[in-house]
Amino acid sequence: MLSFDLTTDTELRDVVGLFYGDERPTVEMSGGDGEYSISVDGNPFSVKLDGRSMSEIPPAHRNGRLAKIALYDALSSYTGRSMPWGALTGVRPTKLFYECLKNGNSAERAVDVMRTVYRVSAERAEVLRRIVAAQSGKVFFAPEYINLYVHIPYCTTRCSYCSFVSLPIKKYKEQADAYAAALCEEIRRSVEFLQCRGKKILSVYIGGGTPTAICADALDAVLSSIGRLNVEYTCEAGRPDTITEEKLDMMRAHGVNRVCVNPQSLCDATLEEIGRSHTVDDFYRAFDAVRARGFDINCDLIAGLGSESAAQFRDGFDKIISLRPENITVHTLSKKNGSGIRYERGENSAAAEMAEHALGACGEYRPYYLYRQKRQAGNLENVGFSLIGKECVNNITTMEETVGVMACGAGAISKAVCGGNITRFANMRDVPLYLSRFEEKLSAKLDAIAAAFDC
């Protein structure tokens, strides 16, 4: 019989967090082989898992997953609550669905495994089936390919929910120019490294922050360092107030073909509440300018923002649908470390209703990728929707971790995928440190990726 220490076992602690957030009860747990004794604040539970739970989980993962499921069952019984994703706490639930398929199961049986073994709701298990169907032909292990990610950590203002490396551009204009110069050097040397290793760039993604927050000359230099590539090429322009015709024309000339225009909400009161420096009308003007130049467009919305009502979210989502961007991403608000709302108590009780509306009212769009984060409202998820044939390959291959990432910029994380193993290398998150330790960390990154390529 095993005794589990929930003060050190992060997987089990995450299960408790599904029900209790940061306010943890006293939990004691012992057992194994599908039979467990669990105490929650002195209340005893005896959990015996059925044989199917034992047989459907691969042996290498059996002990850990069975313990999580048993703890979930005890906490669900104690609280009278169930979670949309059941006992799952990881970022990528699609990986478990693919695991089921790899074991010879049909999609229908994989749905059943998600429901009966992992306690996932019928609705969310069906979402996984739809996503895997949408990803058909776009998920592949191709060691000769790699995605290029470029991070530009500046924005016009900092949103209350933001946890990314992001600095106000007005305050850091001089630093931003120095950063852009260093970033260009990292990009050039990283791309040269990939070419020497015989790697092909599958997609380019420039994120932030808000890449279009920097001046046109700096943005032009960054795009020039990448070169014109005939690939899926995304540039985030999330803040409508940073989009100009000059920058859009420049992006088009450099080969960018996909642009993210992210209002997050189509309610002016919500935009003000979360610290955005633009209006709904600004979004429409920016969207029209991007559309006029023939870019594919992604629009982000966040379910569960501030005091926004379900009706306001539904209205915004339906208006985005009517614009017919190629992609729509609906995030459920997450109180991330480093965000202004991290320690605010309570959450928007309408978040689940908002997320359900997006899944049920997406019309000709279909969900094509999904990921989860800790401390999301309602323990929900982030879902990307796409018009058929317009699925973002970068999002799919990066999220499913089937293609590596060469990442450039402060806080960017490179990943080498080789033989089922994933090697990660994180750049310095702090911009001054990124600049002062540039040569040291760039050399270390390329050495680490080279070693992973040679595995």
Side-chain angles (χ1 to χ4, degrees), residues 240-360:
D241 48 316
T242 68
I243 296 175
T244 66
E245 293 190 355
E246 178 188 9
K247 290 176 182 177
L248 292 176
D249 290 339
M250 177 193 305
M251 289 155 57
R252 197 66 183 166
H254 282 289
V256 175
N257 48 41
R258 184 173 180 270
V259 174
C260 300
V261 189
N262 303 328
Q264 311 301 7
S265 171
L266 287 190
C267 174
D268 280 325
T270 301
L271 294 175
E272 183 177 357
E273 184 178 3
I274 63 176
R276 304 283 281 192
S277 55
H278 66 85
T279 66
V280 173
D281 285 343
D282 291 333
F283 160 72
Y284 282 117
R285 284 192 291 271
F287 185 97
D288 289 344
V290 174
R291 177 59 85 208
R293 286 160 176 79
F295 293 102
D296 284 351
I297 301 176
N298 172 79
C299 293
D300 281 5
L301 291 174
I302 299 179
L305 285 173
S307 57
E308 184 161 296
S309 68
Q312 289 170 324
F313 178 87
R314 287 196 303 269
D315 179 66
F317 181 82
D318 294 347
K319 286 177 178 175
I320 294 292
I321 287 279
S322 70
L323 294 174
R324 296 191 80 251
E326 282 67 26
N327 304 136
I328 303 169
T329 308
V330 176
H331 301 267
T332 305
L333 183 67
S334 172
K335 294 183 178 180
K336 304 175 190 176
N337 288 334
S339 69
I341 61 170
R342 170 63 182 91
Y343 295 104
E344 287 185 4
R345 300 181 67 84
E347 64 180 42
N348 189 322
S349 61
E353 186 179 347
M354 297 173 183
E356 293 298 335
H357 177 77
L359 289 168

Side-chain angles (χ1 to χ4, degrees), residues 115-149:
R115 291 179 58 194
T116 59
V117 175
Y118 295 106
R119 314 320 195 219
V120 176
S121 72
E123 295 78 12
R124 285 328 189 261
E126 176 60 19
V127 169
L128 291 181
R129 186 197 65 77
R130 293 168 65 190
I131 287 172
V132 168
Q135 291 182 352
S136 178
K138 296 180 174 64
V139 174
F140 49 87
F141 289 92
E144 71 272 24
Y145 282 105
I146 194 163
N147 295 311
L148 177 64
Y149 176 76

Side-chain angles (χ1 to χ4, degrees), residues 108 111 119 289 338:
E108 291 72 22
V111 167
R119 314 320 195 219

Side-chain angles (χ1 to χ4, degrees), residues 204-224:
V204 178
Y205 196 105
I206 306 176
T210 304
T212 46
I214 62 176
C215 71
D217 287 345
L219 181 60
D220 184 50
V222 171
L223 296 172
S224 296

Side-chain angles (χ1 to χ4, degrees), residues 19 40 44-47 70-82:
F19 293 88
V40 184
F45 293 88
S46 179
V47 179
L71 180 58
Y72 173 86
D73 285 350
L75 292 170
S76 181
S77 176
Y78 181 57
T79 63
R81 300 165 60 203
S82 60

